[in-house]
Amino acid sequence: MIRGAMVLALGLALLAPATASAARPAVTTGAAASITPTTVTLNGKVDANAKATTYFFQVGPTRVYTLNTAATPAGAAKGPVSVSVPVTGLAPATRYHYRIVASNADGQTLGKDRVFKTRVQPLGVTLAANPTTVPPGGFTNLAGQLTGTNNVGREVVLQQSAFPYTTGFANVGNAVVTDAAGNFTFNNLAVPVTTQYRVVLAARPEVLSPIVVVGASVQLRTFSKWVKRYGPRNVS
């Protein structure tokens, strides 16, 4: 009799955790959507199992997730509910792991790990001159930045087209290499006449900057002199 009671008590003890855990939320990590170079929308499903439940997503370059989205209420309904969370501030052309996590008073449930890769950031280039107007033969400096994926250590070529712009653009001097932030400069450029400038990548893909015009203008100074005029004298 005592042995039977012990077996029954042990059986009830083993059943108790299973009964409690059955009320934990159920989750499904869904597919990532609306992927751009720096943003993504993460989707999933949460079954609150009739208890007030919250959920969030974990994101990171590995399964050691480095980012948690804000905890969001999922309600207290019975049955799966679709949820989604936008994530910003990601690095372009990067593989990320993610999963959904949900919690209620009976415990926490971890979703299955999934992955996505952000899009490549297209290359773009800016260009500016300082100063933009010089005397003929004066000097200017051109600076800009190559932005986008793989913008570091790229060769940038300067091109010019002098007024009246009938010969088209031609390369000027040697190419320069972008720094760790994609920046580049061309210093002390002589400007004999008003000239258009642009930069282009030395290798593909072909990326052109906007055209910058540096004016070479002659300063004209005018002087005026007041002359007193006398009328004819009357001679009697």
Side-chain angles (χ1 to χ4, degrees):
M1 182 66 179
I2 295 176
R3 181 177 180 182
M6 292 177 61
V7 171
L8 178 60
L10 179 60
L12 292 174
L14 292 174
L15 287 174
T19 302
S21 65
R24 288 188 305 169
V27 296
T28 301
T29 305
S34 303
I35 302 172
T36 75
T38 59
T39 65
V40 67
T41 298
L42 301 180
N43 300 296
K45 291 185 178 181
V46 179
D47 184 346
N49 274 323
K51 290 201 173 186
T53 297
T54 60
Y55 72 91
F56 60 92
F57 285 89
Q58 294 182 311
V59 187
T62 69
R63 293 194 183 191
V64 180
Y65 308 100
T66 56
L67 168 69
N68 290 349
T69 64
T72 304
K78 184 71 174 177
V81 175
S82 295
V83 297
S84 63
V85 173
V87 178
T88 62
L90 303 176
T94 302
R95 177 183 169 96
Y96 285 94
H97 289 257
Y98 70 101
R99 69 182 177 188
I100 190 171
V101 180
S103 302
N104 63 19
D106 287 333
Q108 184 181 79
T109 305
L110 306 178
K112 181 181 178 181
D113 179 82
R114 299 188 66 166
V115 297
F116 68 90
K117 187 175 182 179
T118 50
R119 308 295 185 202
V120 171
Q121 178 72 52
L123 290 171
V125 63
T126 62
L127 185 66
N130 183 29
T132 57
T133 303
V134 298
F139 294 89
T140 189
N141 302 306
L142 294 172
Q145 183 182 38
L146 182 66
T147 60
T149 303
N150 298 324
N151 66 328
V152 177
R154 301 294 298 271
E155 287 191 339
V156 178
V157 176
L158 179 66
Q159 297 181 333
Q160 69 178 20
S161 176
F163 183 84
Y165 317 130
T166 56
T167 58
F169 282 91
N171 293 353
V172 182
N174 298 321
V176 298
V177 177
T178 60
D179 65 15
N183 299 311
F184 59 87
T185 57
F186 295 90
N187 293 319
N188 299 321
L189 298 169
V191 187
V193 296
T194 297
T195 303
Q196 295 178 334
Y197 294 96
R198 71 182 185 187
V199 294
V200 60
L201 288 186
R204 291 185 179 276
E206 185 178 54
V207 179
L208 291 173
S209 74
I211 294 173
V212 172
V213 178
V214 178
S217 59
V218 178
Q219 291 185 337
L220 297 177
R221 295 184 179 181
T222 59
F223 298 90
S224 60
K225 183 178 181 180
W226 182 79
V227 177
K228 186 175 181 180
R229 294 181 177 276
Y230 298 91
R233 297 178 63 185
N234 293 326
V235 179
S236 55

